[in-house]
């Protein structure tokens, strides 16, 4: 069952002097219940703007087009009141990038959980709130004997679980995790994404993970969407992407080749400016498969937007 | 040769985050220091780069003991280090255009005449275009700013490089690109490197020798 359906989502920023920055262009993807989609790409590729668009948190100079349907609601058309009252926390649970910064520093985890339970659910009364908060903590494997601590008294891993517990309170069908593993050690990365995965598998939630960490994406995702210069350039099955036959888009292949346990070689050059994109393929200047055809923009086919994608037979190339 | 002997260091008198730690980086050697975050690795990196005075222990540079740290460190010792940190936004003066940011150590050491050549040379080495050099930090991406920070670390041609989680915030390709810049610099100058990080795969790939940070992690993570 599709939980989130994004169709032709574009975001433009109007800059002083009439300049327009194409932060996200024509994104299409779905996220289904019980499924994790990882949106990967480097900083500045548009993925965090996309998250802000879904949450209705874009700055005033942004213009959006397209649709992002969550059930019967178009997130892009919804007003702030609807988003604040019925969407954020209730229909979308946000797992933030730096939990320590997201938690209120002067209050214990228990009081933050109780407050969120009171705000998002029908639970009323001291004892009921207390037990609902404890239950919320358990769901995120947050240890009960740490509930009376303040955020700064928690390790990075426990702060992450506290933030996850808060995100789960509203029983939202869609979980949105924005760079949930930034700055965490590898063991903690594994642990964090395994817990996110558990909420997908056991509670049937849809999970959209935004990350630049390919190892985390490989561990958690069913499907992968690769963004480059504001566009989704590849959208495919995670096993095929990370394993055999591997990605089909030259940028995706370059990203994987850059990993220290693979070739550890960088893609030459840098991405183009989103305010000054070329007419054709935005990756052409860095692409070793570029040809004359690449001066026109490659349309998105079933899985890839490229004129000369790798085909399974030359996946060793 | 860079020798850390029995270094104890921290920020509060009775709660050192580094205890009795010893490490030697030989001439031209690449040593990785692997450990979880929040356990004092960064403090040790700062001691090694003369940016933080240890509570006790000895730091020897080519056999010469270091007597002063930070701004009081001997200039010849201070300028022998290039340091890159994890978070370029915290390490870069937000008011400076990238060209100036890269050149800052040259201005600070009275070598203004070298600025144009060095900046041009390093910008091309780290992959920054002339247009980016005219921007300020908030006008570039994290990856672009980290490229500038690496160029700044190389501008005085240091003999020792200290990279503290240099690539942790970056995508795989930008990370690999910056490591390649460091390695190209080392292969022409013979500089030694201490790479501090938590990513085992990365350090094993990058470094000839990786030292594990063995102390138990009792210290709360820096916030
Ligand atoms: S469309 Fe052309 S330039 Fe773009 S990625 Fe494909 S082959 Fe490369």
């Amino acid at each position: 069952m599709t939980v989130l359906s994004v169709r032709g989502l574009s975001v433009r920023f109007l800059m002083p002097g009439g300049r327009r920055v194409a932060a996200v262009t024509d994104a299409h993807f779905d996220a289904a219940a019980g499924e994790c989609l990882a949106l990967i790409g480097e900083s500045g590729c548009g993925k965090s703007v996309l998250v802000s668009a879904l949450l209705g948190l874009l700055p005033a100079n942004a213009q959006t087009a397209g649709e992002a349907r969550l059930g019967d609601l178009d997130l892009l058309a919804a007003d702030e009141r609807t988003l604040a009252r019925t969407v954020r926390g209730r229909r979308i649970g946000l797992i933030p990038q730096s939990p320590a910064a997201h938690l209120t520093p002067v209050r214990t985890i228990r009081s933050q959980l109780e407050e969120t339970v009171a705000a998002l659910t029908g639970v009323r009364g001291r004892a009921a709130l207390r037990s609902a908060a404890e239950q919320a903590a358990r769901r995120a494997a947050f240890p009960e004997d740490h509930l009376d601590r303040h955020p700064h008294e928690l390790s990075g891993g426990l702060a992450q679980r506290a933030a996850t517990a808060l995100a789960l309170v509203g029983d939202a069908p869609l979980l949105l995790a924005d760079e949930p593993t930034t700055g965490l050690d590898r063991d903690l990365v594994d642990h964090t994404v395994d817990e996110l995965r558990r909420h997908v598998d056991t509670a049937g939630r849809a999970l959209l993970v935004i990350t630049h960490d390919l190892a985390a994406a490989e561990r958690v995702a069913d499907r992968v969407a690769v963004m480059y210069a504001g566009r989704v350039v590849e959208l495919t099955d995670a096993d095929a992407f990370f394993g055999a036959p591997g990605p089909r888009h030259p940028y995706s292949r370059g990203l994987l080749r850059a990993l220290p346990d693979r070739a550890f070689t960088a893609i030459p050059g840098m991405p183009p400016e989103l305010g000054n994109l070329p007419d054709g393929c935005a990756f052409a200047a860095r692409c070793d498969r570029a040809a004359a055809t690449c001066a026109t923009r490659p349309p998105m086919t079933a899985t890839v937007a490229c004129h000369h994608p790798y085909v399974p037979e030359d996946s060793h190339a | 040769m860079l020798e850390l002997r029995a270094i104890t260091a921290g920020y509060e008198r009775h709660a050192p985050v580094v205890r009795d730690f010893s490490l030697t980086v030989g001439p031209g050697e690449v040593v990785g220091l692997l450990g979880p975050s929040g356990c004092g690795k960064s403090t040790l990196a700062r001691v090694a780069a003369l940016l933080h005075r240890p509570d006790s222990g000895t730091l020897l540079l080519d056999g010469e003991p270091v007597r002063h740290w930070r701004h009081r460190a001997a200039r010849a010792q201070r300028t022998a280090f290039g340091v890159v940190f994890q978070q370029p936004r915290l390490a870069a003066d937000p008011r400076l255009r990238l060209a100036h940011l890269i050149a800052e150590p040259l201005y600070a050491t009275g070598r203004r005449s070298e600025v144009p050549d060095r900046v041009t040379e390093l910008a091309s080495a780290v992959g920054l275009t002339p247009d980016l050099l005219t921007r300020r930090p908030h006008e570039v991406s994290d990856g672009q700013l980290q490229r500038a920070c690496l160029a700044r670390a190389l501008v005085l041609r240091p003999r020792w490089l200290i990279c503290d989680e240099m690539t942790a915030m970056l995508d795989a390709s930008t990370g690999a690109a910056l490591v390649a810049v460091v390695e190209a610099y080392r292969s022409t100058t013979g500089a030694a490197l201490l790479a501090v990080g938590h990513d085992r795969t990365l350090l094993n790939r990058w470094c000839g020798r990786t030292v594990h940070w063995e102390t138990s992690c009792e210290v709360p993570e820096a916030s």
Side-chain angles (χ1 to χ4, degrees):
Chain A
M1 189 193 63
T2 303
V3 172
L4 175 71
S5 175
V6 172
R7 292 288 173 270
L9 169 57
S10 297
V11 181
R12 298 281 174 275
F13 291 113
L14 304 179
M15 307 305 275
R19 221 159 53 87
R20 282 155 65 87
V21 172
V24 179
T25 302
D26 201 24
H28 292 255
F29 59 86
D30 291 332
E35 180 198 61
C36 171
L37 173 67
L39 196 57
I40 62 184
E42 57 203 273
S43 76
C45 73
K47 60 193 194 309
S48 49
V49 172
L50 199 148
V51 172
S52 301
L54 296 179
L55 292 167
L57 297 175
L58 288 170
N61 66 334
Q63 285 183 341
T64 60
E67 275 190 352
R69 301 206 82 86
L70 184 65
D72 51 4
L73 182 74
D74 180 2
L75 295 169
L76 300 185
D79 55 46
E80 170 55 25
R81 187 182 147 92
T82 310
L83 291 168
R85 293 201 172 184
T86 71
V87 175
R88 296 195 287 263
R90 292 168 204 265
R91 298 178 68 174
I92 303 179
L94 176 68
I95 294 157
Q97 176 160 5
S98 63
H102 196 75
L103 300 164
T104 311
V106 294
R107 294 174 50 208
T108 64
I109 302 305
R110 183 191 301 281
S111 91
Q112 297 185 50
L113 274 171
E114 288 182 357
E115 181 194 65
T116 306
V117 169
L120 297 183
T121 70
V123 175
R124 293 292 175 267
R126 264 182 91 99
L129 280 176
R130 191 177 168 91
S131 85
E134 286 171 0
Q135 197 189 334
R138 271 198 298 279
R139 280 201 288 176
F142 184 90
E144 231 160 276
D145 58 353
H146 282 55
L147 275 171
D148 293 310
R149 298 202 179 183
H150 291 84
H152 71 270
E153 298 171 298
L154 301 175
S155 68
L158 287 186
Q160 183 60 253
R161 284 190 220 177
T164 306
L166 285 167
L168 294 173
V169 165
D171 249 328
L174 175 65
L175 292 176
L176 201 62
D178 184 11
E179 297 279 4
T181 60
T182 298
L184 300 184
D185 301 325
R186 187 51 54 192
D187 292 349
L188 215 47
V189 167
D190 291 352
H191 192 88
T192 300
V193 299
D194 288 353
E195 286 189 359
L196 289 173
R197 184 72 225 184
R198 196 164 53 78
H199 301 297
V200 173
D201 292 335
T202 61
R205 295 166 202 273
L207 172 63
L208 181 59
V209 177
I210 315 297
T211 188
H212 72 271
D213 181 341
L214 297 170
E218 177 171 12
R219 199 171 170 101
V220 73
D222 299 295
R223 288 188 305 134
V224 193
V226 180
M227 277 188 87
Y228 185 75
R231 286 176 183 268
V232 174
V233 296
E234 183 157 13
L235 175 58
T236 190
D237 183 66
D239 289 338
F241 186 87
F242 290 107
R248 301 194 58 207
H249 195 282
Y251 173 66
S252 314
R253 291 190 88 82
L255 268 186
L256 290 191
R257 257 203 316 270
L259 287 170
D261 53 352
R262 300 198 186 202
F264 203 30
T265 50
I267 305 166
M270 283 193 291
E273 300 284 327
L274 294 174
N276 188 21
L277 291 172
D279 292 332
C281 174
F283 189 61
R286 309 172 72 185
C287 182
D288 58 7
R289 293 168 83 89
T293 37
C294 304
T296 58
R297 201 175 54 238
M300 185 76 185
T301 63
T303 62
V304 68
C306 171
H307 290 299
H308 311 285
Y310 286 83
V311 291
E313 296 84 77
D314 59 23
S315 61
H316 313 285
Chain B
M1 182 103 101
L2 171 70
E3 291 168 87
L4 293 149
R5 289 195 191 153
I7 297 288
T8 293
Y11 304 92
E12 283 166 55
R13 227 172 171 17
H14 302 292
V17 294
V18 178
R19 264 177 240 259
D20 199 21
F21 191 92
S22 299
L23 178 72
T24 301
V25 182
E29 197 186 8
V30 187
V31 178
L33 177 58
L34 175 73
S37 54
C39 282
K41 295 187 314 276
S42 293
T43 306
L44 188 84
R46 296 178 63 83
V47 170
L50 311 190
L51 296 172
H52 184 84
R53 168 183 275 285
D55 299 335
S56 63
T58 311
L59 172 58
L60 296 166
L61 300 183
D62 294 331
E64 267 299 290
V66 171
R67 301 190 197 284
H68 300 288
W69 269 262
R70 298 174 57 92
H71 56 279
R72 299 182 53 227
R75 175 179 282 188
Q77 290 185 336
R78 209 175 355 130
T79 56
F81 284 93
V83 193
V84 189
F85 299 103
Q86 175 171 357
Q87 304 233 25
R89 307 252 162 231
L90 301 181
D93 185 333
R95 295 164 303 184
L96 297 184
R97 297 181 193 281
L98 298 199
H100 196 132
L101 187 82
I102 294 169
E104 207 184 4
L106 288 172
Y107 291 118
T109 50
R111 292 158 63 177
R112 181 175 289 268
S113 63
E114 299 173 43
V115 168
D117 287 352
R118 275 309 268 160
V119 169
T120 309
E121 193 183 322
L122 282 165
S124 106
V126 300
L128 289 174
T129 54
D131 160 56
L132 289 169
L133 291 177
T134 64
R135 308 229 192 133
R136 294 197 166 84
H138 72 272
E139 298 166 317
V140 301
S141 71
D142 287 353
Q144 290 164 342
L145 190 55
Q146 192 68 308
R147 287 173 194 260
C149 288
L150 175 56
R152 178 180 59 182
L154 300 179
V155 78
L156 296 180
R157 296 194 177 83
R159 275 181 297 147
W160 290 288
L161 275 168
I162 314 261
C163 297
D164 183 5
E165 299 276 19
M166 175 177 75
T167 64
M169 309 275 290
L170 307 176
D171 66 283
S173 177
T174 308
L178 293 195
V179 169
V181 172
V182 167
E183 288 310 300
Y185 173 77
R186 289 193 343 92
S187 74
T188 56
T189 60
L193 166 72
L194 177 62
V196 177
H198 69 267
D199 186 336
R200 181 184 309 267
T201 318
L202 171 69
L203 292 186
N204 285 345
R205 180 73 185 247
W206 187 3
C207 306
R209 176 162 72 91
T210 300
V211 177
H212 292 243
W213 184 264
E214 294 295 356
T215 54
S216 64
C217 181
E218 304 145 329
V219 184
E221 286 183 46
S223 50

